[in-house]
Amino acid sequence: MKKFLSIMTLITLSLILAACGSSEQEASGDGSKEITIGYFPNINHVAGMVAEEQDLYSETLPDGTKVNYKYFPDGSAFMTAVETGEVQGGLVGPGPAMNHFTSGAKINVVAAGSTGGTVIMARKGANIETPEDLKGKTFISPRVGCTHDVQFETMMMEEYDITSDRIDGTMKHVTGKPATYHSMFNAGNVDAATVPEPWASVIEAQGSGEVLVDTPEVAYGETLPAAVFVTSQDLVKNNPDMVQSIVDAHKKATEFIKDNPEEAKTIAIDKIKEITDQELSKSVIDNAWERIDFTYDIDGNTLQDFANSSYELEFLKKKPDLEGLVDTSFIK
């Protein structure tokens, strides 16, 4: 009897230990139970809005995964969030992604978000009829060295031999949130802006400014990814299944936009209002939509050319080598 009880005790302990081991595995995991996705309230980031509103990440991530969303005003804040693990992935302009990568950030671009959408606007009454008139004028961009800034300054340097005061040129450069550009035009605080959509269309609709250079004529206007999907190299290395699930949801969102443009526009209008407290009209969104192509395909060579331009404008101290930045394995 004593021998029988000993055997039963061992079996019971084994079952308890096995159960504890199983529970511990589920509980520890690697962060896959909760993730955060980031993006900006711009039309180039509609895939982020659609994925959130259609709950697409829940369709591709393991059951029970909680998905949070965080909205960013500029690329620098987003990239810091990726590097610190505050967000696991999301959309950002290629400029911040490239700048942080060349500064040592361990990140990967795993997909594109869209192309196009950068417009150069001139304030009405600023006496700007052509880009040559920008000498001595003040222009605004979201950040120093951001995607739209590099596109604008590349065009001005290469085609008009005009540079900003940052590199001893004649144009004064200031920064600010694109959603405020219309009011800044009205107040006469700036003369021109390099603007992501839909904020160029807002300025057009409100009548505070006019298109000086449209998307196809801006440097890299229709070829450069205006938004790229970024994650950390640590996540790619240690949890490729999660990255694949995230990218699969992003691809679903992009395909939804192409198949259901009117529904995607409604989502964009509602989401931008929620984030910025500004309600954009359908006509504004229609106008902005014409300047953008939504795609998840990405060409690393275009990013390298763009990075070279950023170096020539002295946004980067060293000539950039983007080898290892783009990983297209998740979109194939």
Side-chain angles (χ1 to χ4, degrees):
M1 185 64 182
K2 186 180 288 183
K3 185 177 180 181
F4 173 74
L5 289 174
S6 297
I7 292 173
M8 289 302 295
T9 300
L10 286 172
I11 292 173
T12 302
L13 284 171
S14 298
L15 289 173
I16 291 172
L17 289 171
C20 288
S22 174
S23 175
E24 187 176 327
Q25 275 187 342
E26 286 181 11
S28 60
D30 47 15
S32 60
K33 291 294 182 182
E34 184 169 348
I35 69 166
T36 301
I37 301 294
Y39 66 83
F40 305 1
N42 292 334
I43 295 297
N44 292 113
H45 293 227
V46 170
M49 303 176 199
V50 166
E52 179 179 2
E53 293 307 299
Q54 297 289 309
D55 201 18
L56 298 180
Y57 288 105
S58 295
E59 293 181 8
T60 59
L61 287 161
D63 290 343
T65 304
K66 181 181 179 183
V67 184
N68 306 306
Y69 296 91
K70 188 174 177 63
Y71 317 119
F72 291 86
D74 62 74
S76 183
F78 172 89
M79 292 309 307
T80 299
V82 171
E83 291 175 61
T84 60
E86 183 183 353
V87 303
Q88 281 64 56
L91 291 162
V92 68
M98 177 190 66
N99 293 343
H100 279 247
F101 178 79
T102 56
S103 297
K106 304 297 183 184
I107 60 159
N108 278 134
V109 170
V110 291
S114 59
T115 60
T118 294
V119 186
I120 313 305
M121 302 296 295
R123 175 174 61 83
K124 280 188 177 177
N127 297 318
I128 300 172
E129 301 295 330
T130 70
E132 288 92 336
D133 297 331
L134 287 169
K135 286 181 179 176
K137 302 292 187 181
T138 299
F139 78 93
I140 190 168
S141 72
R143 297 277 291 194
V144 174
C146 72
T147 306
H148 316 288
D149 185 10
V150 173
Q151 286 185 267
F152 170 64
E153 292 203 45
T154 297
M155 177 195 73
M156 293 302 294
M157 181 174 68
E158 292 182 351
E159 298 188 26
Y160 305 101
D161 195 27
I162 299 173
T163 55
S164 71
D165 54 357
R166 181 183 51 82
I167 47 178
D168 298 325
T170 56
M171 295 186 297
K172 183 181 178 183
H173 185 195
V174 297
T175 61
K177 295 179 181 178
T180 67
Y181 292 179
H182 161 61
S183 60
M184 295 185 78
F185 270 20
N186 270 340
N189 293 334
V190 295
D191 302 309
T194 174
V195 195
E197 286 288 18
W199 308 112
S201 292
V202 169
I203 292 171
E204 278 189 276
Q206 296 297 325
S208 57
E210 297 175 330
V211 175
L212 181 66
V213 184
D214 213 336
T215 296
E217 283 72 47
V218 180
Y220 305 103
E222 292 182 310
T223 57
L224 180 71
V228 293
F229 201 101
V230 170
T231 189
S232 70
Q233 291 182 4
D234 180 63
L235 206 61
V236 169
K237 178 181 178 182
N238 296 315
N239 201 340
D241 289 343
M242 177 194 283
V243 175
Q244 187 63 65
S245 296
I246 292 173
V247 173
D248 285 345
H250 174 63
K251 290 171 67 176
K252 280 175 172 275
T254 306
E255 288 160 1
F256 179 93
I257 295 168
K258 288 179 172 291
D259 295 339
N260 308 277
E262 295 307 311
E263 192 171 349
K265 290 175 185 176
T266 300
I267 290 172
I269 291 170
D270 293 342
K271 202 66 198 175
I272 289 173
K273 181 183 179 184
E274 177 186 323
I275 298 171
T276 69
D277 202 29
Q278 292 192 46
E279 185 167 10
L280 303 180
S281 69
K282 177 66 164 45
S283 61
V284 164
I285 296 298
D286 285 340
N287 196 51
W289 217 264
E290 294 299 316
R291 295 181 170 127
I292 296 171
D293 181 35
F294 295 97
T295 178
Y296 50 75
D297 291 322
I298 188 160
D299 180 5
N301 293 328
T302 303
L303 283 183
Q304 181 63 63
D305 292 342
F306 181 74
N308 294 341
S309 291
S310 191
Y311 169 71
E312 290 164 6
L313 285 164
E314 301 181 22
F315 289 117
L316 298 176
K317 294 180 180 179
K318 296 181 180 179
K319 195 164 187 178
D321 180 1
L322 301 187
E323 181 71 28
L325 172 62
V326 177
D327 183 345
T328 60
S329 62
F330 297 99
I331 58 174
K332 291 179 179 175

